Amino acid sequence: MRALHPKQTELLEILKSNISDPLTMEELADRLNVSGKSVVFHHIKQLEKKGFLKRNPANPRDYIILKDPERNVIYLKMYGMAKCGPEGTILDGEPTRIVPVDPSMIYFPACKGFMVEAKGDSMENLIAPHDWLIVEQNHQPKNKDVVVCVNNGEVMVKRFTQDGENVILQSENPRYNPIVADKTAFRVEGIVRSIIKRNVSC
């Protein structure tokens, strides 16, 4: 692991403590007590280069912390499964929380990771309501992959099957019939890679 400049260590702590409400470059410069935004930008670029941080190039205030030197965790954003518009994606919405996750649970680049909280019983026996799903942003699932997807604006977790030109979305619960995805209004958000079981009734 490449050593961090003291200001980079301080900056990482500030970013961690404000991850749910990111600060502007001006606010970061003020917190770090440095001369201006260019100094902050330099240290952010160094954190990226050293593998501690991944920023969204379209939104500098949107970032994922990939390494936490003190706790050895990564931080994934959790999104709700609210209905999306025709061109919407759940990743356009505000995350509902930030979850620290053991890196050993991530078998793909952490910058592609996000989480959702399952709802409903359609995936019963595999996924229960309120389970936390670790998802890899990936729009090309294989047959039988469990995916987070949007069909006609509805966000759902289903087992993906390509049948000729049709995509079939299958539930694990036999009480639910398979769904033929709408070719004009269907999108895979990602592939479920890990399930964190949660018994919220206890």
Side-chain angles (χ1 to χ4, degrees):
M1 184 182 297
R2 299 175 65 180
L4 293 182
H5 183 280
K7 283 295 183 185
Q8 291 163 19
T9 301
E10 185 180 353
L11 175 58
L12 194 61
E13 287 301 314
I14 294 171
L15 292 173
K16 281 192 303 181
S17 62
N18 292 276
I19 196 168
S20 60
D21 187 18
L23 302 177
T24 65
M25 286 289 186
E26 290 86 352
E27 290 169 329
L28 289 171
D30 184 59
R31 294 283 187 93
L32 282 174
N33 193 27
V34 296
S35 57
K37 295 187 294 183
S38 61
V39 178
V40 177
F41 184 73
H42 167 75
H43 286 308
I44 285 177
K45 293 297 290 183
Q46 289 301 308
L47 286 172
E48 285 189 281
K49 188 178 294 184
K50 294 174 183 179
F52 286 88
L53 192 69
K54 175 69 175 179
R55 289 186 306 150
N56 178 352
N59 182 0
R61 295 179 67 186
D62 182 14
Y63 56 85
I64 297 173
I65 294 174
L66 302 177
K67 295 178 186 176
D68 184 335
E70 293 183 358
R71 298 182 60 194
N72 191 31
V73 297
I74 60 175
Y75 295 87
L76 296 182
K77 295 179 180 180
M78 180 175 288
Y79 294 88
M81 294 179 64
K83 192 174 181 67
C84 294
E87 303 298 326
T89 164
I90 64 172
L91 302 182
D92 286 340
E94 291 293 324
T96 59
R97 67 177 74 196
I98 308 296
V99 182
V101 175
D102 189 318
S104 65
M105 299 180 68
I106 308 296
Y107 301 98
F108 53 87
C111 60
K112 294 183 177 293
F114 67 96
M115 297 179 69
V116 297
E117 181 172 339
K119 64 178 184 179
D121 63 352
S122 69
M123 297 299 285
E124 200 172 65
N125 299 326
L126 176 65
I127 299 169
H130 307 294
D131 283 351
W132 287 357
L133 311 180
I134 297 177
V135 187
E136 177 189 4
Q137 292 182 50
N138 186 323
H139 306 298
Q140 297 180 315
K142 299 175 183 176
N143 277 352
K144 304 303 181 183
D145 277 345
V146 176
V147 301
V148 176
C149 59
V150 179
N151 187 52
N152 278 324
E154 183 179 355
V155 181
M156 56 183 70
V157 179
K158 298 292 180 185
R159 197 172 289 280
F160 174 96
T161 301
Q162 184 84 46
D163 183 12
E165 294 185 356
N166 292 323
V167 169
I168 310 299
L169 304 173
Q170 297 176 311
S171 300
E172 294 292 294
N173 188 332
R175 294 193 292 109
Y176 291 83
N177 294 324
I179 298 170
V180 178
D182 186 330
K183 296 176 185 177
T184 64
F186 173 74
R187 179 182 61 261
V188 172
E189 300 276 18
I191 302 170
V192 176
R193 297 303 191 190
S194 298
I195 303 168
I196 301 175
K197 305 301 292 182
R198 301 175 69 233
N199 186 349
V200 297
S201 62
C202 292

